[in-house]
Amino acid sequence: MLIDTATIQVRAGNGGNGCLAFRREKFVPHGGPSGGDGGRGGDVIIEASEGRSTLVDFHYRRHYRAESGRHGSGATKTGRDGEGILLKVPVGTLVKDRDTGEVLADLDAPGKRVVAAKGGRGGRGNARFATPIEQAPTRHEPGVPGEERTIDLELKLIADVGIVGLPNAGKSTLLSRISSAKPRIGDYPFTTLSPVLGLVRYGDDGSFVAADLPGLIEGAHEGKGLGLRFLRHVERTRVLVILLDASSEDLAGDYDTLVNELASYGKGLAEKRRIVVLNKMDLVPGGTPRARFGGEEVLAISALRGEGLDRLRHAVGGLLESVGAS
């Protein structure tokens, strides 16, 4: 099961203390100040990595602390900087400060990173404070503490197309027929418990990534069913396939439920370009059911029998191309 949220505590390293020291060399009984600076504390950095697909590691370990800088020493020696920590997360992870709600970064590309907690600056040694007037200063500074934060990690899968529908509309079957993905398939609601991605090819060299997402129910935007976990992943998709069970007794009502949930969740989901697809046409005697869907393009298919899938691939590919060109 996809683990797409985690809360961790991160603490950067403290800066090392500046040193209080004086030269004590042979024939120099009253030498000048020689205290070195403290080293800088290590940072905690979070980076998007293509090699990661889940946040499960952060459920087993929740506390991360970078190394503190070493203290300065005599002979104006600066302490060694503390080593930082690099935490790798899946591409598409949102990094938030739990206490303030501030979004620190949207790691939506491989290699993109953010300093989640900054290491403290090292304190200055007394050698730094020598002046022509004060030639033997005793002033020196402690290191600055490193930042400490509680971080919320929230994964939003990055896909071109989101397949949305009520439970048992045939989303998993459709993805398994148009791509190489192997989602779990069953004839009961909520077979899909987490998003599944598949690469769909069309034409000579066209392709897109489609996501089979857990079924929506009325009240999903309020967290009912798998609501909020599902809708979070729809945010990044470029277009939507609204998949309806053509054998339903209330096709128009099913469509309205889906569109209303997208609109209630907000964040532009209802404004995304979309195609309405009537699945399970093999169960409908006499052809296409009569229903109105706001003038949107409607395609009729049978994912189980593989009917109409080539036309669907090209229609979705063409829609993506038009969205990219706009």
Side-chain angles (χ1 to χ4, degrees), residues 39-68:
R40 186 179 180 280
D43 298 330
V44 179
I45 297 172
I46 301 177
E47 180 182 84
S49 170
E50 290 185 303
R52 304 297 170 96
S53 59
T54 175
L55 296 171
V56 65
D57 291 347
F58 301 102
H59 277 250
Y60 292 105
R61 181 182 173 189
R62 296 178 180 271
H63 299 269
Y64 298 88
R65 183 171 183 172
E67 185 182 30
S68 293

Side-chain angles (χ1 to χ4, degrees), residues 52-96:
R52 304 297 170 96
S53 59
T54 175
L55 296 171
V56 65
D57 291 347
F58 301 102
H59 277 250
Y60 292 105
R61 181 182 173 189
R62 296 178 180 271
H63 299 269
Y64 298 88
R65 183 171 183 172
E67 185 182 30
S68 293
R70 298 294 178 87
H71 302 316
S73 58
T76 62
K77 291 182 179 178
T78 299
R80 181 174 63 82
D81 290 342
E83 289 190 14
I85 295 177
L86 180 63
L87 306 179
K88 294 189 176 183
V89 298
V91 177
T93 299
L94 205 64
V95 182
K96 296 181 179 179

Side-chain angles (χ1 to χ4, degrees), residues 165-171 188-191 214-218 245 258 280:
L166 297 176
N168 213 28
K171 300 180 297 298
Y188 50 91
F190 296 113
T191 303
L216 276 179
I217 62 174
E218 189 171 358
D245 181 348
L258 293 171
K280 303 185 182 182

